Amino acid sequence: MSSAITRRVAACISACVSLIASPALAEEGAVPQGGIASTSLCADAYVLALAPEDGITALSWQVDQSVSAAPPWSRALPRAWPDAARLLELSPQLTVFGTGEGGRTARLLDRAGYDSVELAWADDFGGVRNNLIALGAASSREREADLAISEIDQRLARLAERAEERPRQPRMVYLSVSGGSAGAGTYIDAAINAAGGINVMAERGATGWTRSDPELALGLQADIVLTSFFVDGYASTFNRARRHTAYRRLLDHPDRAEIPAGVWPCASPRLIDAAELIADAIDAWERD
């Protein structure tokens, strides 16, 4: 196809999308009908934390996957994804995008008179609080956001009390199904710290998300091994830790705790659930 034809096709597509999202369409009746639509798994968790069942227009296309911890009633809701035509069809009062998802779709919705908010990537509980505040303001649910933040803070305080009562801190390592791990500055590290553990990878100087390293895995020593996405994660050819023998010693660790994928596919209000599950694993280790 020549470059001129390619340009004309692209222009036609752009014009069609602009027509779908035009204010004229809103004047014909496709105006926001109320409720919130979420376009991603992470956004689902925030929306469910603040909005009641009758306040949600749609949840993301990922809600039926094993990595979602959405309640059973939510399975009957319509599905949404970051596509202007789909969101205009759903006609929500507010669309909640995951990090990096808004872009051109958000601009098209804005032109058509639809509100949207894009969540920021969060690496800790502070980031979760900031997203709750932003969503509370965008959805006029500031009180619900304050209550959600207060509950998280109270649960964090209880975790700190539990940690103070233990005579020792366990050294913990996180192993993802890809064979990677998590160092300082990740929400995995934040959950381990909140639970009262020591993140071995952060202790070794690692920051961020680390790649699969069989040689490193062979030498890692920890009191507790945390795993996730092995039971309820995505099927992928990159799931090296399932197959590579170097990871078997970690997977066979006597104090291994599998954390449900649904509590931390991102740093959401459910991150506190992950921290509490880690604290439970620490208490079980302490009793052994």
Side-chain angles (χ1 to χ4, degrees), residues 160-233:
E161 292 171 358
R162 289 170 65 179
E164 290 176 2
E165 294 171 356
R166 300 189 192 107
R168 52 183 179 161
Q169 274 186 292
R171 300 176 67 256
M172 314 180 78
V173 65
Y174 170 74
L175 176 67
S176 75
V177 71
S178 69
S181 189
T186 62
Y187 61 80
I188 302 291
D189 183 63
I192 290 174
N193 292 333
I198 298 170
N199 183 359
V200 170
M201 295 303 295
E203 188 181 52
R204 293 172 65 96
T207 59
W209 301 90
T210 67
R211 294 184 176 183
S212 173
D213 187 338
E215 184 177 351
L216 174 64
L218 285 170
L220 285 175
Q221 299 296 326
D223 297 308
I224 300 173
V225 173
L226 300 175
T227 56
S228 199
F229 297 89
F230 281 84
V231 175
D232 49 8

